[in-house]
Amino acid sequence: MRAAYRTDLHRPLDPNLAVYGAYWNRGVACNPAAIHARARELAPHIEGLWVVSSRHRDRMPPGVPYVIEGSRPYWRAMATATYLVNNSSFPGGFTKRPGQRYLQTHHGTPLKTMGLDQRAYPALARKTDFGKILAHVAQWDFSLSANPHSTEVWDRVYPAPNDASYERLDLGYPRNDVYFTATTEDIAKIRAGLGIEEGQTALLYAPTHRDYRDGFVPDLDPERLARELGPEYVLLVRAHYFYGRSAGIAGPEGGRVIDVTSHPRVEELCLAADALITDYSSLTFDYACLDRPIIVHAPDWDAYRTTRGTYFDLLSGRPGDTPGTVTTTSGRLAEVFRTGEWRSPASAALRTAFRERFCPYDDGRAAERVVRRFFAPLG
């Protein structure tokens, strides 16, 4: 396989081939998915080919071309594609050729420490190959950013070598375009497909993973919260993808707790939800585009900050740092819904400041801007 790959490296680059990857080969998702979809409209001459692992091939939508990571077609594509787009990294290590263009889209706004900043945290540093990170950064030609905060962090934690600097694209996140373009009819269809009844208030509970925990251990009891809030509420529970395709919960009768971990598009879940309950997930920054209530439920903030490190105090209550109401106990969480605090003027003011800081480039046209810049000579 490697010998064949070395031979393929001498083949001409295909000027009309783009290879896409997302979340370590989990399928069509995130910024690469939005870029691929827009490129099919604006640059139909570009063939898009996705990289997927064999265990996730069932996630591939019908009609979307793909190759299995590590296969002969994979290595041929990596050797000959002119365009490479990923929100994480391509598997196996590849030799980037002159003439290839690599766009690193990233997959979130950094609250937790990333890249070289993780060296200050021993538990993370022991599991991280920083040399490999720097070698990966040396392949980038473009680094996409959703806001000035992200650009500042990426510049520091992913420093480009002097002879291989990358261009910063402050263009917004293509995956967030749908929050500005979805219609009322689109949202109603998504909600009906999820089993949300007309008139119900849908709450999306989407916590992030913890480096110091094994498996999905939610910081609230979804069934108890659903009982306390009553039948007018439905709770959508989405575990982090690191934990597999199920949150491992069984909802109560009436379907007021729904496990949506396996739902293919988190953007649809956000569109369906009237409010987001989360902790330190980067979904917080994306959901802010919708200008809907965000509740930060963070009982383990001190432990998380100590073990992972963060760039600002999410629980401080300062405008621009905190996106809405903050809770640290399950009782307090239920109370903010019973009293209406979750959608109070004070919470709305915090959300506005947070949105201004972290969503300045998102307007529904990020994918178009990226496609026109990356797939030159579209302009």
Side-chain angles (χ1 to χ4, degrees), residues 170-184:
D170 295 331
L171 301 177
Y173 263 2
R175 72 184 187 186
N176 291 343
D177 285 354
V178 68
Y179 299 140
F180 299 87
T181 60
T183 65
T184 301

Side-chain angles (χ1 to χ4, degrees), residues 157-356:
V157 306
Y158 299 123
N162 293 330
D163 60 345
S165 61
Y166 55 79
E167 181 178 339
R168 294 135 186 92
L169 299 183
D170 295 331
L171 301 177
Y173 263 2
R175 72 184 187 186
N176 291 343
D177 285 354
V178 68
Y179 299 140
F180 299 87
T181 60
T183 65
T184 301
E185 292 74 19
D186 293 332
I187 295 173
K189 184 177 179 179
I190 294 169
R191 285 172 64 96
L194 291 169
I196 302 170
E197 297 178 6
E198 188 172 350
Q200 279 189 315
T201 297
L203 307 177
L204 174 59
Y205 174 49
T208 193
H209 76 101
R210 269 68 165 170
D211 297 285
Y212 57 90
R213 289 182 185 171
D214 294 325
F216 178 59
V217 183
D219 281 313
L220 62 86
D221 183 337
E223 294 184 16
R224 177 180 175 182
L225 180 61
R227 287 195 302 270
E228 291 179 335
L229 296 183
E232 63 268 30
Y233 286 86
V234 60
L235 195 62
L236 310 176
V237 180
R238 186 175 181 86
H240 192 275
Y241 58 85
F242 280 0
Y243 301 133
R245 303 192 189 189
S246 172
I249 60 171
E253 292 184 9
R256 288 188 286 113
V257 176
I258 305 172
D259 187 345
V260 293
T261 303
S262 63
H263 192 82
R265 294 200 62 194
V266 69
E267 293 85 6
E268 291 187 352
L269 302 178
C270 289
L271 286 169
D274 296 291
L276 173 68
I277 303 172
T278 188
D279 41 29
Y280 326 119
S281 171
S282 65
L283 195 62
T284 307
F285 304 92
D286 298 350
Y287 194 82
C289 291
L290 287 166
D291 197 21
R292 298 177 188 173
I294 298 171
I295 299 88
V296 177
H297 182 62
D300 64 337
W301 174 242
D302 290 338
Y304 188 85
R305 254 195 135 170
T306 300
T307 57
R308 180 63 201 235
T310 59
Y311 291 121
F312 58 91
D313 189 348
L314 188 68
L315 276 61
S316 68
R318 290 190 296 267
D321 284 0
T322 304
T325 301
V326 173
T327 65
T328 56
T329 67
S330 296
R332 171 70 176 138
L333 179 61
E335 179 185 358
V336 302
F337 286 103
R338 286 195 297 263
T339 63
E341 182 182 340
W342 63 290
R343 50 187 172 190
S344 67
S347 294
L350 286 173
R351 185 171 69 252
T352 296
F354 191 83
R355 190 181 186 205
E356 289 174 351

Side-chain angles (χ1 to χ4, degrees), residues 90-159:
F90 288 102
F94 68 96
T95 301
K96 182 166 176 283
R97 299 173 60 183
Q100 287 187 313
R101 294 159 65 88
Y102 188 171
L103 168 61
Q104 172 56 239
T105 74
H106 306 281
H107 53 271
T109 291
L111 166 65
K112 63 186 178 185
T113 56
M114 301 292 290
L116 298 188
D117 280 353
Q118 296 180 51
R119 292 177 297 185
Y121 298 87
L124 296 175
R126 284 195 297 269
K127 299 183 292 184
T128 305
D129 186 335
F130 295 103
K132 189 174 181 179
I133 288 176
L134 293 175
H136 182 217
V137 173
Q139 297 173 326
W140 302 353
D141 296 291
F142 302 92
S143 173
L144 185 62
S145 181
N147 47 64
H149 164 76
S150 293
T151 302
E152 178 185 345
V153 172
W154 301 150
D155 282 353
R156 183 179 67 253
V157 306
Y158 299 123

